[in-house]
Amino acid sequence: MGVSKRQTEENKQAILTAAARLFRERGIDGVGLSEIMREAGFTHGGFYNHFKSKDALVAEVVATAMTGVNESLCDAIAKPLAANDANRFARQIKYYLSTDHRDDAQRTCALAALAPDARRLGKEAQASYARGLDATLDQLASIVERDRSLKTMHETPRDRAIALYSQMLGALVLSRAVASANQPLANEILIASRKDLLRAVGDETGRTEVRRRRANPKSPP
Amino acid sequence: MGVSKRQTEENKQAILTAAARLFRERGIDGVGLSEIMREAGFTHGGFYNHFKSKDALVAEVVATAMTGVNESLCDAIAKPLAANDANRFARQIKYYLSTDHRDDAQRTCALAALAPDARRLGKEAQASYARGLDATLDQLASIVERDRSLKTMHETPRDRAIALYSQMLGALVLSRAVASANQPLANEILIASRKDLLRAVGDETGRTEVRRRRANPKSPP
DNA sequence: TGTACATCAGTGAACGCGCGTTCACTGATGTAC
DNA sequence: TGTACATCAGTGAACGCGCGTTCACTGATGTAC
């Protein structure tokens, strides 16, 4: 059709953006190229003008998502980080383990959204993922380092960051895993982990912000 | 070919076993019916003598795996549980966050292996998953309940079980995610979480069992 | 500045492939008599 | 206990479908003169 160089670059970005959103939502294997291209506003034959293969697209999507992580952590985490208050870690936990964040698969942290898929990614994409994770842990470690109330005498700041982030991610993954089958259980996981983490981090607010419901597997809705 | 009823039932079990193993290893979407049937020792046309559809197989696999969980927790966790020593939780953590368990995708805990896929499972399969998770948390809660050194005054036993298990699972998922791209980082995650959890649980042994390596993203192997 | 032409992003149809599923057929199992 | 026959697990070929990928074609862009 004839398209200016600048437009070409914008179109490629549109493809990357659409792919990133769909991958987060439904996993990499769950989305086809034709759907990505349709979502980006093109017919799917044009895909190969921008990428060598689907694998190449995946690698670029992960790399882009992880660069975003480097600059501002996840979107999810960026907002709490922007606020420069006393206990930034606590704000991050609160958002990360909120039902909003759990249910918003499109804009969630790429680290969390892709963690399940990462094991089966191509070599290049997995390397990008690992780089993003490492950078995030360093970010969190520096927050721990600067806030003396977060430090413990037994652990390095980075080790503490790893322990805290593992718990955040694990609770999010578990809560998402059962969210549509057993919502009370999903919420229970979120709330218990949130309470536990906030205390670990020295924050006592927000403990009763969300109503408590005990999951009862014997009488599902 | 003509096959006795007893043999038929055994053959179905063989299919379920093969499917369970392959699903854990490569995810549900990553394995085709023909491969499962070949692995079980049959041609793939016979699949529909045993199951209505692939979805039905998945639901049955998850349900079976989760019944196993009910009886003895995961294989991975069953061994530590069998030993009736003072701090069973500590033994479970040690095995769960070992490199052996991380790298043994075939026999790993179904809860961990399927957590990534669970979000996208069919309704029935997800319900089975949720039931298995709920039962596991109850199991862990009862261990916490019986061991007074595990209790905290701020949390119910079940909430504590949720917090601890979230951290175990999160660390395992993250370590697996980067295991082949950045092994030092993968090991660092395992070790830091393990140390943190063991201290939380009041166990000081095993802290120096595994050599420590700091992940260095700037100079990969 | 104006004209001629090569480039190449986008189109839309087609390709081979592996997937889940269906089907006609086989023959030992297991029931009816 | 022995014979006749329906059942149904297993075979192997085939089906339609959507996937990733390829390709001939188009026409505005952007360069060469």
Side-chain angles (χ1 to χ4, degrees), chain B residues 6-83:
Chain B
R6 193 182 155 214
Q7 187 63 50
T8 298
E9 190 49 38
E10 282 176 19
N11 292 347
K12 179 175 177 175
Q13 284 305 320
I15 296 170
L16 281 168
T17 305
R21 185 158 45 77
L22 290 167
F23 286 163
R24 279 171 206 218
E25 213 175 330
R26 303 217 299 276
I28 288 165
D29 284 343
V31 191
L33 294 185
S34 57
E35 187 178 1
I36 292 170
M37 292 301 282
R38 202 184 318 124
E39 195 74 11
F42 305 100
T43 54
H44 87 276
F47 175 82
Y48 292 88
N49 293 322
H50 296 288
F51 304 95
K52 210 187 85 237
S53 64
K54 190 184 182 182
D55 263 9
L57 168 69
V58 170
E60 209 157 324
V61 166
V62 174
T64 305
M66 291 305 155
T67 308
V69 166
N70 268 334
E71 284 164 10
S72 64
L73 287 176
C74 310
D75 277 5
I77 291 189
K79 282 181 243 164
L81 260 186

Side-chain angles (χ1 to χ4, degrees), chain A residues 7 19 29 40 43 45 53 57 59 70 84 87-88 91 102 124 126 128 131 133 141 161 174 182 195 197 200:
Chain A
Q7 187 62 51
D29 285 343
T43 54
S53 65
L57 167 70
N70 268 332
N84 210 0
N87 198 335
R88 297 198 289 183
R91 298 198 60 169
R102 179 194 65 200
E124 213 180 328
Q126 204 181 358
S128 293
R131 239 175 281 124
L133 176 59
L174 284 174
N182 187 339
K195 206 169 68 169
L197 276 160

Side-chain angles (χ1 to χ4, degrees), chain B residues 136-206:
Chain B
T136 299
L137 293 175
D138 271 341
Q139 282 262 44
L140 295 176
S142 77
I143 299 180
V144 170
E145 181 117 54
R146 273 184 255 119
D147 186 337
R148 91 170 58 100
S149 75
L150 287 175
K151 287 199 224 173
T152 66
M153 48 178 186
H154 302 291
E155 284 171 312
T156 65
R158 181 161 159 115
D159 278 2
R160 182 133 170 89
I162 289 173
L164 291 168
Y165 186 66
S166 292
Q167 189 174 348
M168 288 162 71
L169 181 102
L172 185 64
V173 166
L174 284 173
S175 186
R176 281 188 178 149
V178 299
S180 69
N182 187 339
Q183 221 195 322
L185 176 60
N187 291 341
E188 188 194 9
I189 291 165
L190 231 43
I191 295 166
S193 294
R194 188 172 133 139
K195 205 169 68 169
D196 186 81
L197 275 160
L198 285 177
R199 183 166 31 247
V201 143
D203 181 297
E204 295 292 328
T205 70

Side-chain angles (χ1 to χ4, degrees), chain A residues 93 97 160 163-164 167-168 171 188-204 207, chain B residues 150 152 154-156 158-167 196-197 200:
Chain A
I93 290 164
L97 296 183
R160 182 133 170 88
L164 292 168
Q167 189 174 349
M168 290 163 70
E188 189 194 9
I189 290 166
L190 231 43
I191 295 166
S193 294
R194 188 172 133 139
K195 206 169 68 169
D196 186 82
L197 276 160
L198 286 177
R199 183 165 31 249
V201 143
D203 180 298
E204 296 294 326
R207 270 210 287 159
Chain B
L150 287 175
T152 66
H154 302 291
E155 284 171 312
T156 65
R158 181 161 159 115
D159 278 2
R160 182 133 170 89
I162 289 173
L164 291 168
Y165 186 66
S166 292
Q167 189 174 348
D196 186 81
L197 275 160

